[in-house]
Amino acid sequence: QVPLVESGGGSVRSGESLKLTCVHSIDEYPVRCWGWFRQVPGREREGVAAIDSDGGAGYDDSVKDRFTITRDDAKNTLVLQMNDLKPEDTAMYYCAATVTDYSLRFGMPIPPADQFEYWGQGTQVTVSS
């Protein structure tokens, strides 16, 4: 069983929206912090958004005011609402989770990728002009 499963990717035009969803099947420990990362071939995987156990959220500057991350722990679900998409947002998007209780309050940074124990297989987002 895959620990995390993403869905909702697709091909859209510049200015349109997509909603990505991630569902986890981790029951050994509660998921404290979720994150969304993206990767383009030839580039490093980069943090897009993350949300902590209190609902505090952090975003990369490139997506701030356009993307919103939310969680529903009763449904083991993480969502990334992406509005006003741009061609530069084109990437494979990955969901990640950790049982470590990182905080995203007061401008705390998105934890680095190597701090997340669980990863999904990714969902492709393509934005055309």
Side-chain angles (χ1 to χ4, degrees):
Q1 191 174 22
V2 179
L4 305 174
V5 179
E6 306 99 332
S7 62
S11 182
V12 298
R13 300 177 184 87
S14 181
E16 296 182 343
S17 299
L18 284 172
K19 183 170 72 175
L20 306 184
T21 299
C22 177
V23 179
H24 82 72
S25 57
I26 303 162
D27 58 7
E28 296 91 347
Y29 303 97
V31 172
R32 301 294 189 182
C33 183
W34 295 91
W36 286 100
F37 292 76
R38 65 188 181 188
Q39 189 166 25
V40 176
R43 293 186 178 273
E44 296 180 347
R45 187 170 298 187
E46 63 179 11
V48 176
I51 186 166
D52 65 30
S53 60
D54 293 322
Y59 300 89
D60 185 80
D61 286 343
S62 67
V63 306
K64 195 170 296 182
D65 300 323
R66 297 189 297 120
F67 292 9
T68 302
I69 186 170
T70 56
R71 65 190 291 168
D72 185 344
D73 290 333
K75 296 180 171 61
N76 297 337
T77 299
L78 177 75
V79 170
L80 184 67
Q81 178 66 50
M82 304 185 295
N83 296 327
D84 191 24
L85 283 160
K86 303 176 180 180
E88 64 200 64
D89 296 316
T90 296
M92 183 73 73
Y93 283 71
Y94 297 91
C95 176
T98 178
V99 300
T100 302
D101 199 9
Y102 293 105
S103 175
L104 279 301
R105 296 177 298 168
F106 310 116
M108 296 294 287
I110 299 169
D114 63 7
Q115 297 302 300
F116 290 85
E117 303 97 79
Y118 304 98
W119 290 85
Q121 294 295 306
T123 185
Q124 179 68 37
V125 171
T126 302
V127 185
S128 63
S129 299

